[in-house]
Amino acid sequence: MKHSLILLGLVLSVTVMAQSPSAYNISGKNSPQINPDNTITFHFSAPTASKVVVNLGKDYEMTKDEKGVWSVTTEPQFEGFHYYAIKVGGLSVADPSTYTFYGCSRYSSAIEVPESEEDAAFYTPKQGVAQGAVRSLKFYSEACKEWERMFVYTPAGYEQNPDKRYPVLYLQHGGGEDETGWIYQGFADVILNNLIAEGKAEPMIVVMNSGNVASFEQMITEDVIPLVDSRYRTIADRKHRAVAGLSWGAKQAYDLGLGYPQYFASMAGFSGIIVIGEFNRTNPGFRDPKQFKEAYNGIFSDARKFNKETDLLFIANGEAEGNHLSDMSKLLKKRGIKNIYYQSPNTAHEWLTWRRSLYNFAQLLFKED
Amino acid sequence: MKHSLILLGLVLSVTVMAQSPSAYNISGKNSPQINPDNTITFHFSAPTASKVVVNLGKDYEMTKDEKGVWSVTTEPQFEGFHYYAIKVGGLSVADPSTYTFYGCSRYSSAIEVPESEEDAAFYTPKQGVAQGAVRSLKFYSEACKEWERMFVYTPAGYEQNPDKRYPVLYLQHGGGEDETGWIYQGFADVILNNLIAEGKAEPMIVVMNSGNVASFEQMITEDVIPLVDSRYRTIADRKHRAVAGLSWGAKQAYDLGLGYPQYFASMAGFSGIIVIGEFNRTNPGFRDPKQFKEAYNGIFSDARKFNKETDLLFIANGEAEGNHLSDMSKLLKKRGIKNIYYQSPNTAHEWLTWRRSLYNFAQLLFKED
């Protein structure tokens, strides 16, 4: 059974059989290997090290053979994307055998425990599906007083149809990640290519920025949106502009969507809460009706007005993350705020949850015309 | 003195003073540091390691203080871009404090020893200069029977001028690198942005592919060129198509430019030879007149025809690399083959040489109209 994964377009074929090398290994490297029971086996040579540990969720101490090759097999892992590190001599580093991803505030190794070919189809590139492109664009942010980079996805046909204009989704990464995350780890471009080709999502532009800046909201509203609207063929009104993010980026997306409704009529948070008051999972500020109604310039104080003016409020997370977001969705509904909740079956706080969340969110977006 | 470097648009400001953190350090990390005499100081914690080495051109053994922090200062380094690795317990890894680059056939750390602000201006982004964009585009290569990724630079104004068509430069990385090299390490986009803004280079599209494929020439001629010509607004003839590369990519560029003249009227090799016969620096096949005239379907057999049909043959390398390419240029001229040779002052086989080579080459390109 062949199963393909894309790394910003590098497609790495994985044969899902005994002892498959991970899809993120550099060509020719056979460690780590993913076993049929979803345990992971690591091995590499470090002949003069006295202790080597793989940290994948928890520490796994490796053992050394007579040739100086260290190895260990982990417990079974959830399907999906997992960062990991190697600790050698007390120094935590990326595995030299693998591609690296900006995560955990540095370049980290990762493994992808594959799900079935059928389940993975929505983020697997397909021959015959017209391919959009991802652009990297540098810009000087007046808000942040420094150069920044954004990634811009344009759908297939963007170049060939010079009169067509598109809605725009602003899409944010999580904590410790950056503007590369949604492409490198999330395959957002592949997901949109496939959805658009099947007629399940509106052709849209997707703009990905770093959330690791000092003046994020100001940068998006004063620098990024004007630049995107002047440079790309957008439909430059709030009905055709959405914002979404994951984890820490979900908070940022809500801050934009709820704090700047003049810019956005649709919003989504994947694996992250609407932060009102203290920032924690029990979120007393959110639960306190008075604080709730006063937050974000009182946007929730008139539920009917909010529902009329908001095209989509989408909330999602993974089943293994717990109930706090399904609870938040229910509480919002109880207070009259329309929203849609999606739960990703059997996944944790990681990119498989967020790929599925985007897949479901994108199909509901910009359908109001 | 402030000096800015770009990492695919992440601009990292370097204060060129005592103990400057390297421009490629992750935000907040202060190792490695570049000292005023161009020595480099590394330090990091690895309390339980018994030996740690920095490999930067050669091995430098680190020493450990009582807190478990290892440090070393290297000899002075040439200005420019240098890959390095850390070896701990016999395992060679990237430095966890830095951005990584695909080089040396894996994700490697690098330092940039900055040259003067004035000399670096041509690859430093400037406010007020219109910015092009770099697209990442996935495609299925029929030649290679797998998905590949290309990077495509389009100049500023590409989106705003839907009727304008552009010449195309196909640009290849070196051995152990990939299609990311010319943007991440080479700043090709910044160089072109600046040159085009100053009117020194024609606005052009630049296409960067992986050379690490089984059927490279077939992929470029049968998959890539048709895709680029159908998808982007190119001038799809040989006069408006050039190919260039560095090191191993120079060989590939010559193989395309000399082997497929129906596609390319201009070509360049940076720090790499035209390989005729045995592949080595003394290159006897190249020196043997008979082998020379028979190579590449006899393209050199009629110098007058070659000069008439070839708009530009450009050869470049760094002063510290030796004389073999200035010798090759002279030998070609002696045999009647017109070419232009550029030597980068005081640089080695690294990216500063190649940035300067591109800067000089691009100013001569597509000027025949």
Side-chain angles (χ1 to χ4, degrees):
Chain A
M1 186 166 62
K2 292 281 279 184
H3 170 197
S4 285
L5 287 176
I6 280 248
L7 188 66
L8 192 57
L10 275 176
V11 179
L12 306 155
S13 285
V14 190
T15 307
V16 183
M17 292 173 66
Q19 298 287 318
S20 306
S22 162
Y24 300 137
N25 291 2
I26 289 169
S27 178
K29 301 286 183 183
N30 61 5
S31 170
Q33 296 175 329
I34 298 162
N35 305 312
D37 59 354
N38 287 357
T39 62
I40 316 290
T41 300
F42 295 86
H43 58 87
F44 48 76
S45 175
T48 60
S50 56
K51 183 181 175 184
V52 185
V53 166
V54 171
N55 181 276
L56 174 56
K58 58 179 259 194
D59 277 358
Y60 294 95
E61 275 205 36
M62 305 185 85
T63 53
K64 183 161 71 166
D65 71 10
E66 68 284 353
K67 289 178 179 161
V69 175
W70 295 79
S71 61
V72 71
T73 296
T74 70
E75 295 162 346
Q77 302 295 314
F78 275 109
E79 290 178 350
F81 182 100
H82 310 284
Y83 295 114
Y84 73 93
I86 291 169
K87 285 194 265 188
V88 52
L91 182 69
S92 177
V93 296
D95 184 340
S97 301
T98 66
Y99 286 89
T100 55
F101 302 84
Y102 195 73
C104 316
S105 297
R106 68 182 215 201
Y107 285 87
S108 294
S109 294
I111 52 148
E112 174 98 20
V113 179
E115 52 181 346
S116 73
E117 193 173 1
E118 188 185 344
D119 289 343
F122 77 89
Y123 55 89
T124 303
K126 295 178 186 64
Q127 286 189 58
V129 164
Q131 301 287 308
V134 178
R135 299 141 201 246
S136 164
L137 180 67
K138 290 152 187 170
F139 66 102
Y140 186 82
S141 167
E142 289 292 345
C144 301
K145 300 292 178 217
E146 59 183 17
W147 286 83
E148 307 291 351
R149 171 180 64 170
M150 69 174 93
F151 278 8
V152 180
Y153 166 84
T154 51
Y158 183 87
E159 274 93 12
Q160 291 76 23
N161 299 291
D163 296 324
K164 188 167 164 58
R165 303 190 78 88
Y166 299 84
V168 185
L169 168 61
Y170 290 81
L171 190 59
Q172 288 300 126
H173 61 82
E177 297 169 340
D178 69 10
E179 66 277 19
T180 62
W182 269 108
I183 302 300
Y184 285 58
Q185 288 98 306
F187 310 146
D189 52 338
V190 186
I191 294 170
L192 269 298
N193 287 342
N194 288 343
L195 279 175
I196 293 166
E198 292 171 24
K200 290 183 179 167
E202 292 296 311
M204 66 182 82
I205 293 169
V206 183
V207 177
M208 292 149 278
N209 275 277
S210 171
N212 309 318
V213 297
S215 305
F216 176 71
E217 293 168 28
Q218 204 186 340
M219 180 184 84
I220 296 292
T221 55
E222 297 178 15
D223 295 321
V224 171
I225 290 176
L227 177 59
V228 168
D229 283 340
S230 70
R231 181 157 183 141
Y232 300 101
R233 298 194 312 278
T234 65
I235 308 171
D237 61 36
R238 66 183 293 281
K239 298 282 286 181
H240 298 89
R241 208 182 280 122
V243 60
L246 73 91
S247 193
W248 175 250
K251 182 211 176 294
Q252 293 181 313
Y254 288 131
D255 285 348
L256 283 169
L258 299 170
Y260 301 81
Q262 67 273 37
Y263 289 100
F264 304 99
S266 301
M267 70 196 82
F270 310 150
S271 303
I273 57 174
I274 299 172
V275 178
I276 299 174
E278 194 188 343
F279 182 32
N280 63 40
R281 284 199 165 200
T282 54
N283 202 355
F286 186 83
R287 294 184 189 279
D288 174 57
K290 182 164 178 293
Q291 240 181 314
F292 178 75
K293 289 204 169 182
E294 286 172 359
Y296 294 111
N297 308 308
I299 196 168
F300 291 130
S301 61
D302 182 343
R304 210 176 56 139
K305 180 163 180 277
F306 179 88
N307 293 338
K308 185 164 171 258
E309 295 184 353
T310 305
D311 290 335
L312 182 58
L313 168 54
F314 185 92
I315 296 164
N317 68 342
E319 187 180 0
E321 293 186 82
N323 296 325
H324 60 294
L325 288 183
S326 55
D327 288 351
M328 184 177 87
S329 165
K330 283 177 202 154
L331 182 58
L332 284 169
K333 283 179 185 157
K334 202 173 142 192
R335 290 178 180 170
I337 303 295
K338 273 208 266 184
N339 69 82
I340 290 173
Y341 173 71
Y342 163 74
Q343 188 178 71
S344 165
N346 201 33
T347 60
H349 195 76
E350 53 76 37
W351 280 96
L352 185 50
T353 294
W354 304 322
R355 290 178 205 150
R356 291 177 181 168
S357 298
L358 175 62
Y359 175 76
N360 284 277
F361 172 58
Q363 296 183 57
L364 304 175
L365 202 51
F366 306 128
K367 298 284 193 182
E368 303 291 312
D369 291 8
Chain B
M1 187 167 61
K2 291 282 278 182
H3 169 198
S4 284
L5 289 174
I6 282 249
L7 187 66
L8 192 57
L10 275 176
V11 179
L12 306 155
S13 284
V14 190
T15 307
V16 182
M17 291 174 66
Q19 298 287 318
S20 305
S22 162
Y24 299 137
N25 291 3
I26 288 170
S27 178
K29 301 287 184 183
N30 61 6
S31 170
Q33 297 175 328
I34 298 163
N35 305 312
D37 60 354
N38 287 357
T39 61
I40 316 290
T41 300
F42 296 85
H43 57 88
F44 47 77
S45 175
T48 59
S50 56
K51 184 181 174 183
V52 185
V53 166
V54 171
N55 181 276
L56 174 56
K58 58 180 260 194
D59 277 358
Y60 294 94
E61 275 204 36
M62 305 186 85
T63 53
K64 183 161 72 165
D65 71 10
E66 66 285 354
K67 289 177 181 164
V69 174
W70 295 78
S71 61
V72 71
T73 295
T74 70
E75 295 161 347
Q77 302 294 315
F78 276 109
E79 289 178 352
F81 182 99
H82 310 285
Y83 295 113
Y84 73 93
I86 292 169
K87 285 194 267 187
V88 51
L91 182 69
S92 178
V93 295
D95 185 340
S97 300
T98 67
Y99 286 89
T100 55
F101 302 85
Y102 195 74
C104 316
S105 297
R106 68 181 214 202
Y107 284 87
S108 295
S109 293
I111 53 148
E112 174 98 20
V113 179
E115 52 180 348
S116 73
E117 193 173 0
E118 188 184 344
D119 289 343
F122 78 90
Y123 56 88
T124 303
K126 292 177 188 63
Q127 287 189 54
V129 164
Q131 301 286 307
V134 178
R135 298 142 201 247
S136 164
L137 180 66
K138 291 153 187 169
F139 65 101
Y140 186 81
S141 167
E142 289 292 343
C144 301
K145 300 290 178 220
E146 59 182 17
W147 286 84
E148 307 290 351
R149 172 180 63 171
M150 69 174 92
F151 278 8
V152 180
Y153 166 84
T154 50
Y158 183 86
E159 274 93 12
Q160 292 75 22
N161 300 291
D163 296 323
K164 188 166 163 60
R165 303 190 78 86
Y166 298 84
V168 185
L169 168 61
Y170 290 82
L171 190 58
Q172 289 299 126
H173 61 83
E177 296 169 341
D178 68 11
E179 66 278 17
T180 61
W182 270 108
I183 302 300
Y184 286 59
Q185 288 98 308
F187 308 146
D189 52 336
V190 186
I191 294 170
L192 269 296
N193 287 343
N194 288 344
L195 279 175
I196 292 166
E198 292 172 24
K200 289 182 180 169
E202 292 296 312
M204 66 183 82
I205 293 169
V206 183
V207 176
M208 293 150 279
N209 276 277
S210 171
N212 308 319
V213 295
S215 306
F216 175 71
E217 293 168 29
Q218 203 186 341
M219 179 185 84
I220 296 292
T221 55
E222 296 178 15
D223 295 321
V224 172
I225 290 176
L227 176 59
V228 169
D229 284 340
S230 70
R231 182 159 183 139
Y232 299 102
R233 298 194 312 276
T234 65
I235 308 172
D237 61 36
R238 66 182 294 281
K239 298 282 286 180
H240 299 89
R241 207 183 280 124
V243 61
L246 72 92
S247 194
W248 174 251
K251 182 212 177 293
Q252 293 182 312
Y254 288 131
D255 285 348
L256 282 170
L258 299 170
Y260 301 81
Q262 67 273 36
Y263 289 101
F264 304 100
S266 301
M267 73 197 80
F270 310 150
S271 302
I273 57 173
I274 299 172
V275 177
I276 298 174
E278 194 188 343
F279 182 33
N280 63 40
R281 283 198 166 202
T282 54
N283 202 352
F286 185 84
R287 294 184 188 280
D288 173 56
K290 181 161 177 297
Q291 240 180 316
F292 178 75
K293 289 205 170 182
E294 285 172 359
Y296 294 112
N297 309 309
I299 197 169
F300 291 131
S301 62
D302 182 342
R304 210 176 55 141
K305 180 163 180 276
F306 179 87
N307 293 337
K308 185 162 171 261
E309 294 184 354
T310 306
D311 289 335
L312 183 57
L313 168 55
F314 185 92
I315 297 163
N317 69 341
E319 187 179 359
E321 292 187 81
N323 295 326
H324 61 294
L325 287 183
S326 54
D327 288 352
M328 185 178 87
S329 165
K330 283 178 202 153
L331 183 57
L332 285 168
K333 283 179 185 159
K334 202 174 142 192
R335 290 178 181 170
I337 303 295
K338 273 208 264 184
N339 69 83
I340 290 174
Y341 173 71
Y342 164 74
Q343 188 179 70
S344 164
N346 201 34
T347 60
H349 194 77
E350 52 77 38
W351 280 97
L352 186 50
T353 295
W354 305 321
R355 290 177 205 151
R356 290 177 181 169
S357 299
L358 176 63
Y359 176 76
N360 283 275
F361 172 59
Q363 296 182 57
L364 303 174
L365 201 52
F366 306 129
K367 297 285 193 180
E368 302 291 313
D369 291 7

